[in-house]
Amino acid sequence: VLDERRQLLENMTHGSGFIYSADGYILTNAHVVAEAAAAQQSGAAASRQLVVTLQDGRHLQGTVLCMDK
């Protein structure tokens, strides 16, 4: 169990961003979502989930819509 948790933590990317629209669009830096975006493009999105954690502790599923390089 500890090895699984360690693997999960090693594969996580952390960053900050902010919600800029009432319908939930978030702006963040490209490096924060780069791996998830690449997985989405390759069809392997299930292996690189994008989970957004809000300040109140809620966890929401996210999708990368576009990225600047």
Side-chain angles (χ1 to χ4, degrees):
V1 174
L2 289 177
D3 288 335
E4 291 175 16
R5 181 159 173 78
R6 183 176 297 129
Q7 182 70 25
L8 177 64
L9 291 173
E10 287 175 359
N11 290 328
M12 294 177 107
T13 302
H14 296 90
S16 63
F18 61 92
I19 300 171
Y20 73 91
S21 68
D23 51 354
Y25 284 90
I26 297 173
L27 183 64
T28 189
N29 289 306
H31 75 273
V32 174
V33 296
E35 289 183 35
Q40 285 177 343
Q41 289 178 346
S42 71
S47 64
R48 292 298 303 172
Q49 294 182 7
L50 180 61
V51 177
V52 177
T53 303
L54 302 180
Q55 282 185 318
D56 64 7
R58 289 182 289 161
H59 302 282
L60 306 170
Q61 187 70 35
T63 302
V64 178
L65 297 179
C66 62
M67 261 178 62
D68 186 348
K69 293 186 179 186

